[in-house]
Each structure stands twice: as structure tokens, then as C-alpha cells.
């Protein structure tokens, strides 16, 4: 396994981040345990979750599964850099969502209880909260840091100017600020190249791409359909929209002799500011297969071909101005 620093911090994390969103809804607890154990066997030390995962309001199903896995001991907690998120609704009463100081305090305490740990390595805002000023956000996060309950703060689904506002607010407090941004970024979704990635580079944030395979569109979906495997209606609709690109992509992966899923992950690992794409295996076998992505080296010609199939963006404002 390869490791790199999370943004400008001294924290070393694996170049692949284990996403746990499937744990509970799609993957049984026993299989989830097996995947996490196998991740450690492979050297993956960076796990991502969220308080809303499990998708039953207020239950924190996925965090509870992780907590029961940690409780088995054997160095599981100590070997893991655990990142979780807050923002989504965890109840029907006021102040059980978003980024108020009250919800930050309550949500952190609840995540700690569910995961059976006394600290969170990276505590992430799952979305920008336009109703809460960053002064309030940072005061609440700084208190959690002082209490030793969180070590680092990250963002998710922030625009470039949100990152700038957050960092300048933190700078006025003489605190570290954000160390990571978790964005929707893949070969099909390249809008972060306009301003999010430049902001991450300038402020020293590590980029953690979510949905690195565009919900399965970049994972060899045409091959799977040809073999008789079904796809849900949402993916089929997206495939109809992007079929020409997906066909060209899978043909190019055939030329490379590589699985499309691994090429998609490898491409992200070649991009500026990227620390670790989030992988979401539903089985141990799927997890094992992702390791090939770390070995694929895409030369300039291959990267240029991928840009032809999936055109990206230059940094703003040059993308749309001189």
C-alpha cells in the first residue's frame, strides 16, 4: 500500500479510502467486518463514513457497525484513521441537522458513542450550511479539538469560495482550518477542476473524491450488461445520456488491457491535490480488485486520450475568459 499526507498535515493515509456507505443497507454486518479486516490486511488505514449512513433517520446504522468492529480490539481502532461526517437530519426536532454549534456538539457525541471510540480523526461537514456563519462553526470545532474529541476538520461538497471563506475565518482564529475536501469528482464529473481543486491546492487541502466511478458508469457497466447483469433505472438513464463516452472509454480500457474500474481510480490518483479516492466495495473480492489501480501508471498519451473522451476544465477564469 502507498501512503501520502492528508493535505498539508503530517497525517499519513492510504492512497485508497474505504467507503462504508454500503455497510448495513447492502452489505451485512459480518461481510462488513470481513471487508474492514481485509482492508487492514491490505494496508488500507483510511476509512470514511457518516452519521446518516444506513439511511434510517437517527439510527446511525453504519457507524454502529464500525463501532462493533472496533470493539473486537486487536488494534482495529488504533490502525484506523476514521473520518465521519455530520450535516444530514438525524431526527425530526429542530437542531438535529446542519452545522449549528448545538448540532455539531450533539452529533459528535453521538458518533463517538456509536463508533465506541473517544476521538474522531477527521470530522467533516457533509455539506455547506448557508445558515451558519463560519465563526460559529469554528468555535464549535475548536472546542471539540480542545476536548480531544476530534483531531482534524474536513469539508465535503464545498464550493471553492466556501473553502476560501472557511480558511480565512480559521486564519483569523489562528487555527489549522480545513485539511481536506470530499468532492464529487471523476472522469464524468470534472467541474471541481474549475475552482475546488485550485482552492485545495492553494490552501493545502487533500482532495478525497467520492463516487470515483460515477455510480458504476465507469466500472465496466457495458460489459456487465452484456453478461446479463442488471442495472437500476437511475444508472440506465445515465448510461443512455453518456453511452458514446462510456463505449469509447471501455474500448480504450481494452486497449490498455485493464479493468475500467481500475483505470478510473488510477486516473484520479494522477490528478492534482487528490489524496485518496473513496472506494465502496460490497465484497472482499471487489476490495481486492481495487489494488490494481495503484499499479497502473498512465502516461501522457493515455491521459490525453482520456481527456478526449471526457473533456475537463482549465482553472477558472481561464476556462471562460482570457
Amino acid at each position: 500500500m502507498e501512503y501520502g499526507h492528508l493535505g498539508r498535515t503530517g497525517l499519513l493515509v492510504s492512497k485508497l479510502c474505504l467507503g462504508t456507505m454500503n455497510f448495513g443497507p447492502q452489505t451485512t454486518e459480518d461481510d462488513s467486518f470481513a471487508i474492514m479486516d481485509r482492508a487492514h490486511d491490505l494496508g488500507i488505514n483510511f476509512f470514511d463514513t457518516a452519521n446518516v449512513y444506513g439511511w434510517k433517520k437517527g439510527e446511525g446504522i453504519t457507524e454502529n457497525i464500525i463501532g462493533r468492529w472496533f470493539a473486537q480490539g486487536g488494534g482495529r481502532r488504533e490502525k484506523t484513521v476514521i473520518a465521519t461526517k455530520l450535516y444530514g437530519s438525524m431526527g425530526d426536532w429542530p437542531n438535529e441537522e446542519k452545522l449549528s454549534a448545538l448540532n455539531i456538539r450533539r452529533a459528535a457525541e453521538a458518533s463517538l458513542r456509536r463508533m465506541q471510540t473517544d476521538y474522531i480523526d477527521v470530522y467533516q461537514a457533509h455539506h455547506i450550511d448557508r445558515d451558519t456563519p463560519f465563526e460559529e462553526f469554528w468555535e464549535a470545532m475548536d472546542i471539540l479539538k480542545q476536548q480531544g474529541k476530534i483531531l482534524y476538520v474536513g469539508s465535503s461538497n464545498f464550493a471553492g469560495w466556501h473553502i476560501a471563506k472557511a480558511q480565512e475565518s480559521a486564519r483569523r482564529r489562528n487555527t489549522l482550518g480545513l485539511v481536506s475536501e470530499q468532492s464529487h469528482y471523476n472522469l464524468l464529473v470534472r467541474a471541481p477542476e474549475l475552482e475546488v481543486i485550485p482552492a485545495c491546492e492553494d490552501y493545502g487541502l487533500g482532495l478525497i473524491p467520492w463516487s470515483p466511478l460515477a455510480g458504476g458508469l465507469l466500472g465496466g457497466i457495458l460489459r456487465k450488461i452484456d453478461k446479463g447483469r442488471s442495472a437500476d433505472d437511475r444508472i440506465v438513464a445515465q448510461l443512455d445520456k453518456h453511452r458514446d463516452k462510456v463505449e469509447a472509454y471501455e474500448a480504450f480500457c481494452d486497449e490498455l488491457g485493464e479493468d475500467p474500474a481500475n483505470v478510473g481510480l488510477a486516473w484520479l490518483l494522477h490528478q492534482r491535490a487528490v489524496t485518496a479516492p473513496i472506494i465502496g466495495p460490497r465484497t472482499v473480492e471487489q476490495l481486492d480488485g481495487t489494488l490494481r489501480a495503484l499499479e497502473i501508471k498512465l502516461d501522457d498519451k493515455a491521459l490525453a486520450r482520456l481527456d478526449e473522451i471526457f473533456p475537463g476544465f482549465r482553472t477558472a477564469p481561464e476556462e471562460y475568459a482570457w
Side-chain angles (χ1 to χ4, degrees):
M1 179 52 58
E2 299 176 22
Y3 301 89
H5 290 104
L6 182 60
R8 66 195 185 284
T9 75
L11 182 67
L12 286 171
V13 296
S14 50
K15 299 297 286 183
L16 295 174
C17 177
L18 180 67
T20 63
M21 191 170 67
N22 292 322
F23 294 178
Q26 297 188 47
T27 305
T28 67
E29 183 160 324
D30 286 346
D31 287 345
S32 300
F33 283 13
I35 289 170
M36 289 187 281
D37 282 334
R38 182 59 178 162
H40 274 184
D41 291 342
L42 297 172
I44 296 173
N45 74 333
F46 194 20
F47 293 10
D48 176 75
T49 192
N51 59 357
V52 293
Y53 288 173
W55 311 118
K56 290 186 178 180
K57 187 182 287 188
E59 294 191 19
I61 291 170
T62 302
E63 284 189 334
N64 275 309
I65 289 172
I66 293 170
R68 289 188 287 271
W69 181 73
F70 282 155
Q72 294 180 96
R76 287 176 172 82
R77 176 65 187 97
E78 293 77 11
K79 293 175 182 176
T80 303
V81 174
I82 188 68
T84 193
K85 300 183 285 290
L86 81 150
Y87 176 89
S89 177
M90 294 295 285
D92 297 323
W93 202 246
N95 302 307
E96 292 188 281
E97 63 181 359
K98 299 190 176 180
L99 303 178
S100 69
L102 178 58
N103 191 49
I104 287 173
R105 174 179 175 174
R106 288 176 172 172
E109 295 287 358
S111 287
L112 290 168
R113 286 194 300 272
R114 285 190 290 266
M115 294 194 292
Q116 302 189 47
T117 183
D118 56 4
Y119 71 99
I120 295 164
D121 296 279
V122 187
Y123 201 35
Q124 303 163 112
H126 208 161
H127 195 278
I128 186 67
D129 180 358
R130 296 178 177 88
D131 297 322
T132 301
F134 277 112
E135 290 80 5
E136 178 180 350
F137 172 83
W138 283 123
E139 183 174 74
M141 290 296 188
D142 288 346
I143 289 171
L144 289 176
K145 279 190 175 184
Q146 291 161 9
Q147 294 173 336
K149 293 176 180 178
I150 66 173
L151 301 183
Y152 301 96
V153 179
S155 60
S156 180
N157 303 306
F158 275 30
W161 70 277
H162 297 141
I163 292 170
K165 283 192 70 173
Q167 296 306 75
E168 293 306 319
S169 178
R171 181 177 292 173
R172 290 191 292 272
R173 299 176 63 87
N174 293 314
T175 59
L176 184 61
L178 301 173
V179 303
S180 61
E181 158 60 18
Q182 193 177 125
S183 280
H184 190 195
Y185 185 41
N186 54 57
L187 277 163
L188 271 170
V189 179
R190 297 185 60 170
E193 294 168 357
L194 284 163
E195 298 195 24
V196 171
I197 289 177
C200 287
E201 290 183 302
D202 193 69
Y203 284 105
L205 278 66
L207 186 67
I208 308 168
W210 63 265
S211 193
L213 302 180
L217 285 180
L218 301 174
I221 188 166
L222 295 175
R223 304 176 185 191
K224 294 173 183 176
I225 290 174
D226 287 344
K227 292 179 180 178
R229 292 178 59 179
S230 61
D232 65 44
D233 293 341
R234 180 182 59 85
I235 292 296
V236 170
Q238 288 296 307
L239 178 58
D240 290 342
K241 181 180 178 181
H242 299 290
R243 180 173 289 273
D244 289 348
K245 291 180 179 180
V246 173
E247 287 177 348
Y249 174 64
E250 293 199 17
F252 179 59
C253 292
D254 287 339
E255 292 177 26
L256 295 176
E258 299 289 352
D259 184 88
N262 290 332
V263 173
L265 292 172
W267 178 83
L268 281 169
L269 290 167
H270 283 71
Q271 303 310 302
R272 298 151 42 206
V274 170
T275 295
I278 297 175
I279 56 173
R282 291 188 294 273
T283 66
V284 169
E285 291 72 25
Q286 288 181 354
L287 175 60
D288 286 344
T290 62
L291 270 291
R292 173 61 187 159
L294 298 173
E295 301 171 356
I296 297 174
K297 305 302 178 187
L298 299 171
D299 60 22
D300 291 343
K301 183 178 178 180
L303 292 170
R305 176 61 182 139
L306 290 169
D307 283 338
E308 288 176 5
I309 299 171
F310 303 105
F313 297 92
R314 291 179 296 165
T315 298
E318 288 83 357
E319 175 61 28
Y320 48 80
W322 55 270

